[in-house]
Amino acid sequence: MPFKVAAFYQFAALPDFRALREPLRALCAGLDLKGSVLLAHEGINGTIAGTGDGIDAFVAELGHGPLFGGRLVNLELKYSEAAQMPFQRLKVRLKKEIVTLGDTTVDPTRQVGTYVDAADWNALIASPDMLVLDTRNAFEVAMGSFEGAVDPRIASFGQFKEFAARHLDPAKHRRIAMFCTGGIRCEKASAYLLAQGFAEVYHLKGGILKYLEETPQQDSRWRGDCFVFDERVALGHGLREREHAGAVDE
């Protein structure tokens, strides 16, 4: 029986995030879900797996149940499948940021780049004056990326600010299109660049996963596989599992 996998995030004000940890853990445990969920002042970020009914009940609770009280109605959500359970345990952790840039003043709920749907991405990145930027870690980029994209060669997202300071110039790079696995890193990176004076910043809504889900392979500008932080290791077009040795535990 295949397992249903849900990758999700939302930037939202959660000043009570510490109090949410145990009820959320109990909810996941009660539905027999495994995976990793991060909670912070700025929102929620996670990937979990379980039965279809269990995942559906979990998502319904996040969006419409009393635990979050309607604060997660704009959840960015993507589904895929796994032949085997891709996580060994359940982790619900408290963090300073749900994706670590190292700058807690950056708030994507106040200022963020322009979202670009997967259907419009190819045309955008074909623009000759567009800098296409992969915001993921170097080992992820090595597995696959969009053709022509710039690899910042960072070991962690926390190094993105240093890369931007050294290699990006608002006067020179007037149009930037960014992408990442699920969209969360780009939301924060786009907010950061706009605060630094960059004029036009775009990012792929739903990330690479949404693009691979919706774009026919014959029309795709993606090359290689997309690394994911679970024991499937990588996904291809249609979010199909790829065969790679080894397992990853974030």
Side-chain angles (χ1 to χ4, degrees):
M1 179 190 72
F3 290 88
K4 189 171 184 177
V5 183
F8 57 93
Y9 77 88
Q10 184 180 331
F11 287 100
L14 299 178
D16 55 340
F17 74 102
R18 290 182 177 85
L20 293 168
R21 181 184 188 181
E22 290 308 319
L24 187 61
R25 188 202 303 275
L27 172 67
C28 292
L31 295 171
D32 199 23
L33 305 179
K34 294 181 181 179
S36 178
V37 183
L38 307 181
L39 288 167
H41 278 287
E42 65 180 6
I44 189 170
N45 178 24
T47 305
I48 56 169
T51 65
D53 289 344
I55 292 292
D56 292 345
F58 175 80
V59 171
E61 174 61 38
L62 289 191
H64 306 289
L67 184 58
F68 287 91
R71 290 176 290 179
L72 298 182
V73 294
N74 295 317
L75 203 68
E76 180 64 48
L77 182 65
K78 288 166 289 296
Y79 296 114
S80 57
E81 289 189 349
Q84 305 294 328
M85 169 55 75
F87 298 101
Q88 296 185 12
R89 58 190 183 276
L90 170 67
K91 296 182 289 186
V92 181
R93 296 182 288 179
L94 303 180
K95 305 285 283 187
K96 291 182 179 180
E97 302 175 74
I98 55 173
V99 58
T100 304
L101 179 64
D103 187 342
T104 56
T105 67
V106 176
D107 183 359
T109 65
R110 293 184 302 178
Q111 177 177 242
V112 73
T114 301
Y115 297 96
V116 180
D117 291 332
D120 301 318
W121 182 250
N122 285 358
L124 180 78
I125 65 176
S127 301
D129 61 341
M130 187 70 67
L131 174 68
V132 183
L133 180 60
D134 194 328
T135 64
R136 299 173 303 150
N137 301 337
F139 72 89
E140 298 173 78
V141 179
M143 190 172 286
S145 190
F146 285 103
E147 57 186 13
V150 172
D151 176 6
R153 301 184 184 277
I154 56 178
S156 68
F157 184 59
Q159 296 176 354
F160 179 81
K161 290 194 302 179
E162 181 180 351
F163 164 80
R166 290 187 175 185
H167 301 286
L168 300 181
D169 182 350
K172 178 181 178 182
H173 304 109
R174 301 195 60 81
R175 306 183 75 212
I176 298 176
M178 299 188 299
F179 62 92
C180 56
T181 306
I184 186 170
R185 283 178 275 191
C186 289
E187 283 210 43
K188 185 164 277 193
S190 71
Y192 176 75
L193 290 186
L194 288 173
Q196 302 306 307
F198 288 83
E200 292 184 42
V201 183
Y202 303 87
H203 51 110
L204 178 58
K205 182 172 174 55
I208 301 161
L209 296 180
K210 181 63 69 175
Y211 183 90
L212 293 179
E213 178 185 11
E214 296 185 352
T215 306
Q217 189 163 357
Q218 64 270 21
D219 299 330
S220 177
R221 295 192 62 178
W222 176 262
R223 300 294 180 263
D225 296 330
C226 179
F227 180 88
V228 290
F229 286 92
D230 60 55
E231 293 186 8
R232 294 173 298 174
V233 182
L235 300 178
H237 280 88
L239 300 186
R240 293 184 296 271
E241 291 184 62
R242 311 293 285 186
E243 292 186 3
H244 288 273
V248 175
D249 187 13
E250 196 177 8

